Amino acid sequence: MRAKRRTSTHSKEKLSRLLLLEGRRDGAMSARASPACAGRAAPWEHPAACFNAPCDDPGCLHPMHDSAVLAWLLFAVHASLQLFFIVRALLRPHREPSSRIAWVLVIGLAPVVGILAYVLFGEVNPGRRHVARLREAFEKLPPAQTIAGPSAEADLPERYVPLFRVGQSVSNYLPVAGNRARLMADSAAAIASMVDDIDAARESVHVLFYIWLADDSGLKIAEALKRAAARGVVCRAMADDLGSRHLIRSSHWADMASAGVRLGRALPVGNLLLRPFKGRIDLRNHRKIVVIDNAITYCGSQNCADAAFAPKARFAPWVDVMARFEGPVVRQNQHLFASTWMAQVEEDLSPLLAPTASSDLSKPGFVAQVIGSGPSVRYSAMPETFVALMNAARRELVITTPYYVPDEPIQAALRASARRGVATTIVFPRRNDSWIVAAASRSYYQDLLEAGVAIREYAGGLLHAKTLTIDGEVTLIGSANIDRRSFELNAENNILLHDPAFTQALRERQQVFMDAAEPVTLAHVESYGLLRQLWNNSVAMLGPIL
Protein backbone atom coordinates (compact mmCIF):
# COMPACT_ATOMS: atom_id res chain seq x y z
CA MET A 1 0.00 0.00 0.00
CA ARG A 2 2.79 2.42 0.91
CA ALA A 3 4.49 1.55 -2.43
CA LYS A 4 1.35 2.47 -4.32
CA ARG A 5 1.12 5.82 -2.50
CA ARG A 6 4.74 6.61 -3.35
CA THR A 7 4.09 5.82 -7.06
CA SER A 8 0.99 8.02 -7.14
CA THR A 9 2.79 10.90 -5.42
CA HIS A 10 5.70 10.57 -7.86
CA SER A 11 3.32 10.69 -10.87
CA LYS A 12 1.59 13.80 -9.55
CA GLU A 13 4.91 15.55 -9.04
CA LYS A 14 6.01 14.63 -12.56
CA LEU A 15 2.75 15.95 -14.03
CA SER A 16 3.11 19.18 -12.04
CA ARG A 17 6.60 19.75 -13.39
CA LEU A 18 5.39 19.18 -16.98
CA LEU A 19 2.53 21.64 -16.56
CA LEU A 20 4.93 24.20 -15.08
CA LEU A 21 7.28 23.85 -18.05
CA GLU A 22 4.37 24.15 -20.48
CA GLY A 23 3.21 27.30 -18.71
CA ARG A 24 6.64 28.87 -18.95
CA ARG A 25 6.81 28.08 -22.66
CA ASP A 26 3.39 29.62 -23.25
CA GLY A 27 4.41 32.67 -21.27
CA ALA A 28 7.52 33.13 -23.35
CA MET A 29 5.51 32.89 -26.56
CA SER A 30 2.92 35.28 -25.22
CA ALA A 31 5.72 37.74 -24.60
CA ARG A 32 6.45 37.68 -28.33
CA ALA A 33 2.79 37.92 -29.28
CA SER A 34 1.02 41.16 -30.04
CA PRO A 35 -0.09 43.13 -27.00
CA ALA A 36 -3.71 42.58 -27.95
CA CYS A 37 -3.25 38.80 -27.78
CA ALA A 38 -1.04 38.59 -24.68
CA GLY A 39 -2.27 36.40 -21.88
CA ARG A 40 -5.24 34.95 -23.77
CA ALA A 41 -5.11 31.22 -24.33
CA ALA A 42 -8.24 30.63 -26.36
CA PRO A 43 -9.26 32.25 -29.66
CA TRP A 44 -12.64 33.35 -28.26
CA GLU A 45 -10.80 35.38 -25.58
CA HIS A 46 -9.02 37.55 -28.18
CA PRO A 47 -10.35 41.10 -28.54
CA ALA A 48 -11.06 42.82 -31.86
CA ALA A 49 -7.63 44.49 -31.74
CA CYS A 50 -6.04 41.05 -32.05
CA PHE A 51 -7.77 40.48 -35.40
CA ASN A 52 -6.46 43.75 -36.77
CA ALA A 53 -2.87 43.49 -35.54
CA PRO A 54 -0.05 41.22 -36.75
CA CYS A 55 0.52 38.30 -34.44
CA ASP A 56 3.39 35.80 -34.53
CA ASP A 57 2.10 33.61 -31.74
CA PRO A 58 1.87 30.05 -33.12
CA GLY A 59 -0.52 29.24 -30.33
CA CYS A 60 -2.86 32.04 -31.34
CA LEU A 61 -5.42 30.98 -33.95
CA HIS A 62 -5.09 34.31 -35.71
CA PRO A 63 -7.26 34.52 -38.87
CA MET A 64 -4.55 36.38 -40.78
CA HIS A 65 -2.51 33.17 -40.91
CA ASP A 66 -5.32 31.26 -42.68
CA SER A 67 -6.25 34.07 -45.08
CA ALA A 68 -2.62 34.59 -46.07
CA VAL A 69 -2.15 30.91 -46.80
CA LEU A 70 -5.41 30.82 -48.77
CA ALA A 71 -4.40 33.90 -50.73
CA TRP A 72 -1.06 32.36 -51.66
CA LEU A 73 -2.75 29.11 -52.68
CA LEU A 74 -5.23 30.95 -54.90
CA PHE A 75 -2.43 32.99 -56.44
CA ALA A 76 -0.43 29.82 -57.14
CA VAL A 77 -3.42 28.11 -58.78
CA HIS A 78 -4.23 31.23 -60.82
CA ALA A 79 -0.64 31.67 -61.99
CA SER A 80 -0.30 27.97 -62.80
CA LEU A 81 -3.47 27.94 -64.89
CA GLN A 82 -2.48 31.13 -66.67
CA LEU A 83 0.99 29.76 -67.43
CA PHE A 84 -0.45 26.40 -68.54
CA PHE A 85 -2.80 27.94 -71.10
CA ILE A 86 -0.23 30.45 -72.35
CA VAL A 87 2.25 27.61 -72.94
CA ARG A 88 -0.48 25.53 -74.60
CA ALA A 89 -1.37 28.43 -76.90
CA LEU A 90 2.30 28.81 -77.83
CA LEU A 91 2.90 25.09 -78.45
CA ARG A 92 -0.29 24.27 -80.34
CA PRO A 93 0.59 23.20 -83.93
CA HIS A 94 -0.82 24.82 -87.10
CA ARG A 95 -1.25 28.24 -85.56
CA GLU A 96 -0.10 31.55 -87.01
CA PRO A 97 2.20 33.73 -84.89
CA SER A 98 -0.50 36.43 -84.83
CA SER A 99 -2.93 33.91 -83.35
CA ARG A 100 -0.44 32.89 -80.67
CA ILE A 101 0.18 36.54 -79.76
CA ALA A 102 -3.55 37.28 -79.62
CA TRP A 103 -4.22 34.39 -77.26
CA VAL A 104 -1.25 35.23 -75.03
CA LEU A 105 -2.51 38.80 -74.73
CA VAL A 106 -6.07 37.76 -73.92
CA ILE A 107 -5.01 35.17 -71.34
CA GLY A 108 -2.41 37.49 -69.85
CA LEU A 109 -4.53 40.64 -69.62
CA ALA A 110 -7.92 39.11 -68.79
CA PRO A 111 -7.08 35.72 -67.24
CA VAL A 112 -10.56 34.56 -66.25
CA VAL A 113 -12.21 35.54 -69.51
CA GLY A 114 -9.16 34.50 -71.52
CA ILE A 115 -8.87 31.03 -70.01
CA LEU A 116 -12.60 30.40 -70.36
CA ALA A 117 -12.50 31.59 -73.97
CA TYR A 118 -9.50 29.37 -74.71
CA VAL A 119 -11.24 26.32 -73.23
CA LEU A 120 -14.30 26.97 -75.42
CA PHE A 121 -12.72 28.34 -78.61
CA GLY A 122 -8.94 28.19 -78.36
CA GLU A 123 -8.27 24.98 -80.26
CA VAL A 124 -9.64 23.42 -83.42
CA ASN A 125 -10.88 20.16 -81.97
CA PRO A 126 -13.58 18.30 -83.93
CA GLY A 127 -13.63 15.59 -81.29
CA ARG A 128 -11.86 12.24 -81.35
CA ARG A 129 -15.05 10.27 -81.91
CA HIS A 130 -16.07 12.37 -84.93
CA VAL A 131 -12.60 12.15 -86.48
CA ALA A 132 -12.52 8.38 -85.91
CA ARG A 133 -15.93 7.90 -87.53
CA LEU A 134 -14.96 10.08 -90.48
CA ARG A 135 -11.82 8.03 -91.03
CA GLU A 136 -13.87 4.85 -90.82
CA ALA A 137 -16.25 6.27 -93.44
CA PHE A 138 -13.40 7.03 -95.85
CA GLU A 139 -12.04 3.52 -95.35
CA LYS A 140 -15.40 2.02 -96.37
CA LEU A 141 -15.99 4.34 -99.31
CA PRO A 142 -14.18 3.91 -102.63
CA PRO A 143 -11.05 6.10 -102.87
CA ALA A 144 -11.90 9.65 -103.89
CA GLN A 145 -9.55 9.46 -106.89
CA THR A 146 -11.45 6.56 -108.46
CA ILE A 147 -15.12 7.53 -108.28
CA ALA A 148 -15.56 9.92 -111.21
CA GLY A 149 -13.25 8.76 -113.96
CA PRO A 150 -9.67 9.53 -114.94
CA SER A 151 -7.91 12.84 -114.47
CA ALA A 152 -8.54 15.44 -117.15
CA GLU A 153 -5.40 17.48 -116.50
CA ALA A 154 -4.45 17.07 -120.15
CA ASP A 155 -7.60 18.98 -121.16
CA LEU A 156 -6.61 22.03 -119.11
CA PRO A 157 -4.47 24.96 -120.23
CA GLU A 158 -1.05 24.41 -118.73
CA ARG A 159 -1.17 27.49 -116.53
CA TYR A 160 -4.33 26.25 -114.77
CA VAL A 161 -3.09 22.74 -114.00
CA PRO A 162 -1.45 23.82 -110.69
CA LEU A 163 -4.79 25.20 -109.47
CA PHE A 164 -6.48 21.83 -109.78
CA ARG A 165 -3.49 20.11 -108.19
CA VAL A 166 -3.93 22.32 -105.14
CA GLY A 167 -7.61 21.39 -105.14
CA GLN A 168 -6.76 17.72 -105.37
CA SER A 169 -4.41 18.04 -102.39
CA VAL A 170 -7.37 19.13 -100.25
CA SER A 171 -9.81 16.26 -100.68
CA ASN A 172 -8.22 14.00 -103.34
CA TYR A 173 -10.85 14.61 -106.03
CA LEU A 174 -9.40 14.64 -109.54
CA PRO A 175 -10.23 17.23 -112.18
CA VAL A 176 -12.73 15.38 -114.38
CA ALA A 177 -14.14 16.24 -117.82
CA GLY A 178 -17.64 16.03 -119.28
CA ASN A 179 -19.46 18.39 -116.90
CA ARG A 180 -22.25 20.84 -117.63
CA ALA A 181 -23.74 23.57 -115.44
CA ARG A 182 -26.51 26.14 -115.38
CA LEU A 183 -26.56 29.21 -113.16
CA MET A 184 -29.80 29.72 -111.23
CA ALA A 185 -31.52 33.08 -111.75
CA ASP A 186 -32.04 33.75 -108.04
CA SER A 187 -32.84 32.02 -104.73
CA ALA A 188 -36.47 31.32 -105.59
CA ALA A 189 -35.51 29.86 -108.97
CA ALA A 190 -32.93 27.63 -107.30
CA ILE A 191 -35.51 26.22 -104.86
CA ALA A 192 -38.01 25.69 -107.70
CA SER A 193 -35.41 23.84 -109.76
CA MET A 194 -34.48 21.62 -106.79
CA VAL A 195 -38.13 20.79 -106.18
CA ASP A 196 -38.63 19.87 -109.86
CA ASP A 197 -35.58 17.60 -109.79
CA ILE A 198 -36.66 15.94 -106.53
CA ASP A 199 -40.15 15.36 -107.98
CA ALA A 200 -38.51 13.68 -110.99
CA ALA A 201 -36.13 11.54 -108.91
CA ARG A 202 -36.26 7.78 -109.39
CA GLU A 203 -33.60 6.31 -107.09
CA SER A 204 -32.18 8.64 -104.45
CA VAL A 205 -32.24 12.20 -103.16
CA HIS A 206 -29.62 13.56 -100.77
CA VAL A 207 -29.70 17.05 -99.26
CA LEU A 208 -27.39 18.72 -96.76
CA PHE A 209 -27.77 22.29 -95.54
CA TYR A 210 -26.15 24.40 -92.85
CA ILE A 211 -29.33 26.44 -92.33
CA TRP A 212 -32.72 24.93 -93.09
CA LEU A 213 -35.66 27.09 -92.08
CA ALA A 214 -39.33 26.20 -91.77
CA ASP A 215 -40.25 29.00 -94.18
CA ASP A 216 -41.75 28.82 -97.67
CA SER A 217 -38.57 27.58 -99.36
CA GLY A 218 -37.59 25.23 -96.56
CA LEU A 219 -41.03 23.61 -96.44
CA LYS A 220 -41.16 23.26 -100.24
CA ILE A 221 -38.01 21.10 -100.07
CA ALA A 222 -39.40 19.16 -97.10
CA GLU A 223 -42.68 18.44 -98.90
CA ALA A 224 -40.84 17.40 -102.07
CA LEU A 225 -38.76 14.94 -100.03
CA LYS A 226 -41.91 13.49 -98.47
CA ARG A 227 -43.49 13.04 -101.90
CA ALA A 228 -40.36 11.34 -103.22
CA ALA A 229 -40.18 9.01 -100.22
CA ALA A 230 -43.83 8.07 -100.79
CA ARG A 231 -42.91 7.02 -104.36
CA GLY A 232 -40.22 4.70 -103.02
CA VAL A 233 -37.26 6.99 -103.67
CA VAL A 234 -34.59 6.72 -100.97
CA CYS A 235 -34.34 10.19 -99.43
CA ARG A 236 -31.67 11.27 -96.98
CA ALA A 237 -31.73 14.74 -95.42
CA MET A 238 -29.10 16.17 -93.14
CA ALA A 239 -28.88 19.57 -91.48
CA ASP A 240 -26.37 21.18 -89.15
CA ASP A 241 -27.54 20.69 -85.58
CA LEU A 242 -26.87 24.31 -84.62
CA GLY A 243 -27.65 26.19 -87.82
CA SER A 244 -30.93 24.29 -88.36
CA ARG A 245 -31.84 23.75 -84.71
CA HIS A 246 -35.32 25.27 -85.00
CA LEU A 247 -36.38 23.01 -87.87
CA ILE A 248 -34.81 19.92 -86.27
CA ARG A 249 -36.79 20.50 -83.08
CA SER A 250 -40.03 21.25 -84.94
CA SER A 251 -42.88 19.01 -86.05
CA HIS A 252 -41.73 19.35 -89.67
CA TRP A 253 -38.60 17.30 -88.95
CA ALA A 254 -40.66 14.60 -87.28
CA ASP A 255 -43.15 14.64 -90.17
CA MET A 256 -40.34 13.98 -92.66
CA ALA A 257 -39.19 11.02 -90.58
CA SER A 258 -42.77 9.67 -90.43
CA ALA A 259 -43.01 9.99 -94.22
CA GLY A 260 -39.94 7.77 -94.64
CA VAL A 261 -37.23 10.38 -95.16
CA ARG A 262 -34.01 9.24 -93.49
CA LEU A 263 -32.70 12.07 -91.32
CA GLY A 264 -29.33 12.98 -89.87
CA ARG A 265 -28.00 15.81 -87.70
CA ALA A 266 -24.55 17.09 -88.61
CA LEU A 267 -22.25 17.69 -85.62
CA PRO A 268 -24.80 17.27 -82.80
CA VAL A 269 -24.34 19.82 -80.04
CA GLY A 270 -25.43 17.62 -77.12
CA ASN A 271 -24.92 18.74 -73.54
CA LEU A 272 -23.58 22.30 -73.50
CA LEU A 273 -21.63 21.72 -70.27
CA LEU A 274 -19.92 18.61 -71.63
CA ARG A 275 -19.45 19.92 -75.15
CA PRO A 276 -16.00 21.53 -74.58
CA PHE A 277 -14.66 18.07 -73.65
CA LYS A 278 -16.00 16.55 -76.89
CA GLY A 279 -15.03 19.29 -79.34
CA ARG A 280 -15.72 22.93 -80.10
CA ILE A 281 -19.38 23.88 -80.35
CA ASP A 282 -18.68 26.40 -83.12
CA LEU A 283 -17.15 23.85 -85.49
CA ARG A 284 -20.06 23.58 -87.89
CA ASN A 285 -21.01 21.88 -91.15
CA HIS A 286 -21.44 24.87 -93.44
CA ARG A 287 -21.98 22.82 -96.61
CA LYS A 288 -24.87 23.13 -99.07
CA ILE A 289 -25.17 19.93 -101.12
CA VAL A 290 -28.04 18.46 -103.13
CA VAL A 291 -27.48 15.23 -105.10
CA ILE A 292 -30.27 13.55 -107.10
CA ASP A 293 -30.04 10.09 -108.68
CA ASN A 294 -26.25 10.35 -108.83
CA ALA A 295 -26.85 12.50 -111.91
CA ILE A 296 -27.59 16.05 -110.72
CA THR A 297 -26.00 18.17 -108.02
CA TYR A 298 -26.33 21.73 -106.77
CA CYS A 299 -23.52 23.84 -105.36
CA GLY A 300 -23.34 27.42 -104.16
CA SER A 301 -23.93 29.74 -101.24
CA GLN A 302 -27.66 29.27 -100.71
CA ASN A 303 -29.10 27.73 -97.57
CA CYS A 304 -32.52 26.10 -97.58
CA ALA A 305 -34.37 29.31 -96.80
CA ASP A 306 -36.18 32.25 -98.34
CA ALA A 307 -34.23 35.26 -99.49
CA ALA A 308 -36.17 37.19 -96.84
CA PHE A 309 -34.36 35.11 -94.20
CA ALA A 310 -36.69 35.68 -91.25
CA PRO A 311 -34.08 35.25 -88.44
CA LYS A 312 -32.23 38.33 -89.73
CA ALA A 313 -34.89 40.03 -91.79
CA ARG A 314 -33.47 43.54 -91.33
CA PHE A 315 -30.51 42.59 -93.55
CA ALA A 316 -32.68 40.98 -96.24
CA PRO A 317 -32.82 40.06 -98.98
CA TRP A 318 -30.08 37.46 -98.80
CA VAL A 319 -28.48 37.48 -102.26
CA ASP A 320 -27.01 34.10 -103.21
CA VAL A 321 -25.60 32.27 -106.20
CA MET A 322 -26.45 28.62 -106.89
CA ALA A 323 -25.60 26.40 -109.86
CA ARG A 324 -27.00 23.09 -111.11
CA PHE A 325 -24.39 20.59 -112.34
CA GLU A 326 -24.49 17.38 -114.36
CA GLY A 327 -21.59 15.08 -115.17
CA PRO A 328 -18.87 13.16 -113.31
CA VAL A 329 -18.44 15.94 -110.75
CA VAL A 330 -21.82 14.84 -109.35
CA ARG A 331 -20.26 11.64 -108.04
CA GLN A 332 -17.60 13.66 -106.24
CA ASN A 333 -20.31 15.65 -104.45
CA GLN A 334 -22.05 12.34 -103.72
CA HIS A 335 -18.85 11.02 -102.16
CA LEU A 336 -18.56 14.16 -100.04
CA PHE A 337 -22.16 13.80 -98.87
CA ALA A 338 -21.69 10.09 -98.16
CA SER A 339 -18.63 10.67 -95.97
CA THR A 340 -20.50 13.32 -93.99
CA TRP A 341 -23.56 11.09 -93.59
CA MET A 342 -21.60 8.01 -92.53
CA ALA A 343 -19.67 10.03 -89.92
CA GLN A 344 -22.99 10.78 -88.19
CA VAL A 345 -25.37 7.95 -89.13
CA GLU A 346 -24.90 4.19 -88.88
CA GLU A 347 -25.46 3.50 -92.58
CA ASP A 348 -22.96 2.46 -95.23
CA LEU A 349 -23.46 4.38 -98.49
CA SER A 350 -20.47 2.91 -100.34
CA PRO A 351 -22.70 0.90 -102.76
CA LEU A 352 -23.91 4.21 -104.19
CA LEU A 353 -20.39 4.91 -105.39
CA ALA A 354 -19.61 1.50 -106.86
CA PRO A 355 -17.94 1.64 -110.31
CA THR A 356 -20.46 2.23 -113.06
CA ALA A 357 -20.30 2.38 -116.83
CA SER A 358 -21.36 6.02 -116.98
CA SER A 359 -21.89 7.72 -120.31
CA ASP A 360 -21.01 11.13 -118.81
CA LEU A 361 -17.35 10.68 -119.65
CA SER A 362 -18.12 10.55 -123.37
CA LYS A 363 -20.35 13.63 -123.31
CA PRO A 364 -18.94 17.06 -124.06
CA GLY A 365 -18.39 19.28 -121.10
CA PHE A 366 -15.89 21.21 -119.04
CA VAL A 367 -13.31 20.13 -116.46
CA ALA A 368 -14.43 20.48 -112.85
CA GLN A 369 -13.41 19.33 -109.40
CA VAL A 370 -15.05 19.28 -105.95
CA ILE A 371 -13.02 20.80 -103.10
CA GLY A 372 -14.31 19.70 -99.70
CA SER A 373 -12.51 21.34 -96.78
CA GLY A 374 -12.99 21.34 -93.02
CA PRO A 375 -11.32 20.99 -89.63
CA SER A 376 -10.84 17.26 -90.24
CA VAL A 377 -9.04 17.95 -93.52
CA ARG A 378 -5.45 19.12 -93.79
CA TYR A 379 -4.48 22.48 -92.35
CA SER A 380 -4.70 25.65 -94.49
CA ALA A 381 -6.66 23.96 -97.28
CA MET A 382 -8.93 26.84 -98.33
CA PRO A 383 -6.38 29.65 -97.79
CA GLU A 384 -3.92 27.88 -100.08
CA THR A 385 -6.67 27.38 -102.67
CA PHE A 386 -7.61 31.06 -102.61
CA VAL A 387 -3.97 32.20 -102.81
CA ALA A 388 -3.27 29.89 -105.76
CA LEU A 389 -6.28 31.26 -107.65
CA MET A 390 -5.37 34.88 -106.92
CA ASN A 391 -1.81 34.34 -108.07
CA ALA A 392 -3.00 32.74 -111.32
CA ALA A 393 -4.91 35.82 -112.55
CA ARG A 394 -3.35 37.71 -115.46
CA ARG A 395 -6.02 40.14 -116.65
CA GLU A 396 -8.93 40.14 -114.19
CA LEU A 397 -9.82 38.82 -110.74
CA VAL A 398 -13.35 39.35 -109.36
CA ILE A 399 -14.46 38.13 -105.93
CA THR A 400 -17.71 38.35 -103.99
CA THR A 401 -17.81 37.35 -100.33
CA PRO A 402 -19.95 38.44 -97.38
CA TYR A 403 -17.22 37.93 -94.78
CA TYR A 404 -13.60 39.00 -95.12
CA VAL A 405 -11.18 38.26 -92.29
CA PRO A 406 -8.13 37.05 -94.23
CA ASP A 407 -4.80 35.71 -93.17
CA GLU A 408 -1.73 37.63 -94.30
CA PRO A 409 -0.97 35.45 -97.39
CA ILE A 410 -4.44 36.18 -98.82
CA GLN A 411 -4.18 39.89 -98.13
CA ALA A 412 -0.73 39.88 -99.75
CA ALA A 413 -1.98 37.89 -102.77
CA LEU A 414 -4.73 40.44 -103.42
CA ARG A 415 -2.28 43.33 -103.17
CA ALA A 416 0.16 41.57 -105.47
CA SER A 417 -2.59 40.87 -108.00
CA ALA A 418 -3.46 44.56 -108.30
CA ARG A 419 0.18 45.67 -108.35
CA ARG A 420 1.09 43.46 -111.28
CA GLY A 421 -1.65 45.08 -113.37
CA VAL A 422 -4.55 42.64 -112.87
CA ALA A 423 -7.94 44.36 -112.63
CA THR A 424 -8.76 43.19 -109.11
CA THR A 425 -12.22 43.78 -107.65
CA ILE A 426 -13.78 42.51 -104.45
CA VAL A 427 -17.45 43.10 -103.55
CA PHE A 428 -18.76 43.05 -99.96
CA PRO A 429 -22.21 43.77 -98.55
CA ARG A 430 -22.61 47.30 -97.23
CA ARG A 431 -24.61 46.05 -94.23
CA ASN A 432 -23.26 42.89 -92.66
CA ASP A 433 -25.21 40.67 -90.26
CA SER A 434 -22.02 40.37 -88.16
CA TRP A 435 -20.92 43.79 -86.86
CA ILE A 436 -17.69 42.25 -85.62
CA VAL A 437 -16.77 40.85 -89.03
CA ALA A 438 -17.83 44.11 -90.69
CA ALA A 439 -15.41 46.06 -88.49
CA ALA A 440 -12.59 43.58 -89.08
CA SER A 441 -13.18 43.63 -92.85
CA ARG A 442 -13.01 47.40 -93.09
CA SER A 443 -9.71 47.47 -91.24
CA TYR A 444 -8.16 45.89 -94.36
CA TYR A 445 -9.64 48.39 -96.85
CA GLN A 446 -6.89 51.00 -96.81
CA ASP A 447 -4.15 48.44 -97.40
CA LEU A 448 -6.03 46.99 -100.39
CA LEU A 449 -7.01 50.37 -101.87
CA GLU A 450 -3.46 51.68 -101.69
CA ALA A 451 -2.33 48.63 -103.69
CA GLY A 452 -4.93 49.31 -106.39
CA VAL A 453 -7.66 46.80 -105.45
CA ALA A 454 -11.15 48.07 -106.30
CA ILE A 455 -13.58 47.62 -103.39
CA ARG A 456 -17.34 47.90 -103.73
CA GLU A 457 -20.10 47.57 -101.13
CA TYR A 458 -23.37 46.05 -102.34
CA ALA A 459 -26.43 47.97 -101.19
CA GLY A 460 -29.28 45.73 -102.40
CA GLY A 461 -29.34 43.40 -99.40
CA LEU A 462 -26.85 41.08 -97.80
CA LEU A 463 -24.65 39.84 -100.62
CA HIS A 464 -24.09 36.25 -99.48
CA ALA A 465 -22.65 34.90 -102.74
CA LYS A 466 -19.20 33.32 -102.52
CA THR A 467 -17.76 33.51 -106.03
CA LEU A 468 -14.39 33.98 -107.70
CA THR A 469 -13.66 34.32 -111.41
CA ILE A 470 -10.28 34.52 -113.16
CA ASP A 471 -9.72 36.02 -116.62
CA GLY A 472 -13.20 35.00 -117.79
CA GLU A 473 -12.15 31.33 -117.81
CA VAL A 474 -11.95 29.83 -114.30
CA THR A 475 -14.62 29.80 -111.59
CA LEU A 476 -14.73 28.87 -107.92
CA ILE A 477 -18.26 28.63 -106.52
CA GLY A 478 -19.47 27.20 -103.24
CA SER A 479 -19.93 27.77 -99.53
CA ALA A 480 -16.51 29.03 -98.37
CA ASN A 481 -16.06 32.63 -97.26
CA ILE A 482 -12.71 34.39 -97.14
CA ASP A 483 -12.57 34.39 -93.36
CA ARG A 484 -11.03 32.46 -90.49
CA ARG A 485 -14.15 30.41 -89.82
CA SER A 486 -14.17 28.97 -93.34
CA PHE A 487 -10.41 28.46 -93.17
CA GLU A 488 -10.23 26.61 -89.85
CA LEU A 489 -13.62 25.80 -88.32
CA ASN A 490 -16.29 25.05 -90.92
CA ALA A 491 -16.79 22.09 -93.22
CA GLU A 492 -17.16 23.65 -96.69
CA ASN A 493 -17.85 22.49 -100.24
CA ASN A 494 -16.84 24.23 -103.47
CA ILE A 495 -16.51 23.40 -107.13
CA LEU A 496 -13.54 24.63 -109.16
CA LEU A 497 -14.08 24.59 -112.93
CA HIS A 498 -12.53 25.73 -116.18
CA ASP A 499 -15.17 26.84 -118.66
CA PRO A 500 -15.32 30.21 -120.44
CA ALA A 501 -19.08 29.94 -121.08
CA PHE A 502 -20.11 29.30 -117.47
CA THR A 503 -17.51 31.73 -116.16
CA GLN A 504 -18.89 34.42 -118.48
CA ALA A 505 -22.40 33.79 -117.14
CA LEU A 506 -21.16 34.09 -113.57
CA ARG A 507 -19.07 37.15 -114.47
CA GLU A 508 -22.24 38.82 -115.75
CA ARG A 509 -23.92 38.07 -112.43
CA GLN A 510 -20.94 39.54 -110.61
CA GLN A 511 -21.29 42.64 -112.78
CA VAL A 512 -24.92 42.98 -111.66
CA PHE A 513 -23.69 43.01 -108.08
CA MET A 514 -20.95 45.51 -108.93
CA ASP A 515 -23.40 47.85 -110.68
CA ALA A 516 -25.62 47.81 -107.57
CA ALA A 517 -22.66 48.48 -105.29
CA GLU A 518 -21.00 51.74 -104.34
CA PRO A 519 -17.24 52.08 -104.81
CA VAL A 520 -15.19 52.57 -101.67
CA THR A 521 -12.51 55.22 -102.13
CA LEU A 522 -9.26 55.76 -100.31
CA ALA A 523 -10.44 59.24 -99.33
CA HIS A 524 -13.54 57.74 -97.72
CA VAL A 525 -11.51 55.26 -95.69
CA GLU A 526 -9.02 57.92 -94.64
CA SER A 527 -11.94 59.99 -93.35
CA TYR A 528 -12.83 57.36 -90.75
CA GLY A 529 -12.79 58.95 -87.30
CA LEU A 530 -10.16 58.04 -84.74
CA LEU A 531 -12.58 55.97 -82.66
CA ARG A 532 -13.78 54.04 -85.72
CA GLN A 533 -10.23 53.29 -86.81
CA LEU A 534 -9.37 52.19 -83.30
CA TRP A 535 -12.41 49.91 -83.18
CA ASN A 536 -11.83 48.37 -86.63
CA ASN A 537 -8.14 47.72 -85.98
CA SER A 538 -8.75 46.36 -82.48
CA VAL A 539 -11.30 43.87 -83.79
CA ALA A 540 -9.00 42.89 -86.65
CA MET A 541 -6.17 42.31 -84.19
CA LEU A 542 -8.37 39.68 -82.57
CA GLY A 543 -9.20 38.20 -86.00
CA PRO A 544 -7.14 35.04 -85.38
CA ILE A 545 -9.37 34.17 -82.42
CA LEU A 546 -12.72 35.35 -83.80
Side-chain angles (χ1 to χ4, degrees), residues 333-375:
N333 244 11
Q334 183 80 290
H335 187 274
L336 190 61
F337 174 89
S339 64
T340 306
W341 180 269
M342 291 168 62
Q344 305 286 176
V345 181
E346 294 289 348
E347 184 182 11
D348 185 1
L349 301 189
S350 54
L352 285 171
L353 292 157
T356 177
S358 174
S359 60
D360 285 333
L361 297 176
S362 59
K363 292 182 179 179
F366 55 77
V367 176
Q369 171 191 63
V370 167
I371 300 176
S373 62

Side-chain angles (χ1 to χ4, degrees), residues 235-254:
C235 297
R236 298 178 179 90
M238 176 171 276
D240 183 82
D241 196 45
L242 185 62
S244 302
R245 59 192 179 278
H246 297 302
L247 178 78
I248 289 172
R249 288 152 183 79
S250 74
S251 59
H252 303 293
W253 192 256

Side-chain angles (χ1 to χ4, degrees), residues 106-396:
V106 171
I107 297 170
L109 298 177
V112 176
V113 175
I115 290 173
L116 181 61
Y118 192 87
V119 169
L120 295 175
F121 309 115
E123 298 178 3
V124 180
N125 175 24
R128 293 182 181 179
R129 184 172 181 271
H130 175 73
V131 172
R133 292 198 60 169
L134 191 59
R135 286 175 179 169
E136 183 181 342
F138 282 124
E139 289 174 358
K140 291 181 179 179
L141 290 168
Q145 304 95 319
T146 66
I147 59 170
S151 172
E153 269 193 11
D155 297 338
L156 291 167
E158 185 177 355
R159 74 186 184 99
Y160 293 135
V161 169
L163 304 183
F164 288 84
R165 287 181 179 172
V166 172
Q168 184 180 341
S169 75
V170 176
S171 42
N172 292 320
Y173 298 122
L174 300 174
V176 288
N179 299 287
R180 300 162 300 284
R182 176 164 52 90
L183 198 62
M184 299 291 99
D186 54 28
S187 296
I191 294 295
S193 180
M194 291 178 199
V195 169
D196 289 344
D197 285 333
I198 293 172
D199 283 339
R202 298 179 179 181
E203 299 174 1
S204 64
V205 177
H206 294 160
V207 299
L208 166 60
F209 289 103
Y210 170 58
I211 296 176
W212 190 344
L213 298 182
D215 57 13
D216 183 60
S217 296
L219 295 182
K220 281 181 178 178
I221 297 295
E223 291 301 318
L225 288 169
K226 288 156 67 175
R227 291 193 298 270
R231 297 194 309 271
V233 176
V234 178
C235 297
R236 298 178 179 90
M238 176 171 276
D240 183 82
D241 196 45
L242 185 62
S244 302
R245 59 192 179 278
H246 297 302
L247 178 78
I248 289 172
R249 288 152 183 79
S250 74
S251 59
H252 303 293
W253 192 256
D255 290 344
M256 282 194 286
S258 300
V261 180
R262 304 178 191 181
L263 303 176
R265 294 182 299 143
L267 301 174
V269 174
N271 189 307
L272 291 176
L273 296 177
L274 298 178
R275 183 65 196 180
F277 301 100
K278 297 180 179 180
R280 284 180 61 164
I281 191 173
D282 62 336
L283 266 66
R284 308 315 315 162
N285 193 312
H286 195 241
R287 292 169 177 163
K288 295 97 168 130
I289 299 175
V290 177
V291 184
I292 299 163
D293 286 343
N294 246 347
I296 299 167
T297 193
Y298 288 79
C299 180
S301 64
Q302 185 173 342
N303 289 296
C304 193
D306 293 339
F309 204 75
K312 296 183 178 180
R314 63 195 177 99
F315 301 101
W318 244 247
V319 181
D320 285 291
V321 169
M322 207 74 174
R324 179 185 185 273
F325 291 83
E326 295 179 81
V329 76
V330 175
R331 287 175 62 84
Q332 293 183 348
N333 244 11
Q334 183 80 290
H335 187 274
L336 190 61
F337 174 89
S339 64
T340 306
W341 180 269
M342 291 168 62
Q344 305 286 176
V345 181
E346 294 289 348
E347 184 182 11
D348 185 1
L349 301 189
S350 54
L352 285 171
L353 292 157
T356 177
S358 174
S359 60
D360 285 333
L361 297 176
S362 59
K363 292 182 179 179
F366 55 77
V367 176
Q369 171 191 63
V370 167
I371 300 176
S373 62
S376 302
V377 182
R378 69 169 179 80
Y379 175 72
S380 194
M382 282 315 301
E384 289 177 15
T385 302
F386 280 121
V387 168
L389 290 166
M390 293 169 183
N391 288 338
R394 291 183 179 177
R395 299 186 307 277
E396 182 186 64

Side-chain angles (χ1 to χ4, degrees), residues 11-68:
S11 297
K12 289 178 180 179
E13 290 174 352
K14 187 176 181 180
L15 180 60
S16 297
R17 286 195 299 268
L18 288 173
L19 290 173
L20 181 61
L21 289 172
E22 184 68 13
R24 289 176 179 173
R25 185 183 68 83
D26 288 344
M29 290 181 175
S30 295
R32 296 192 303 270
S34 71
C37 295
R40 292 174 174 83
W44 56 82
E45 296 180 12
H46 291 241
C50 173
F51 290 84
N52 298 319
C55 176
D56 60 355
D57 181 3
C60 171
L61 301 180
H62 198 291
M64 287 189 66
H65 290 298
D66 294 335
S67 60

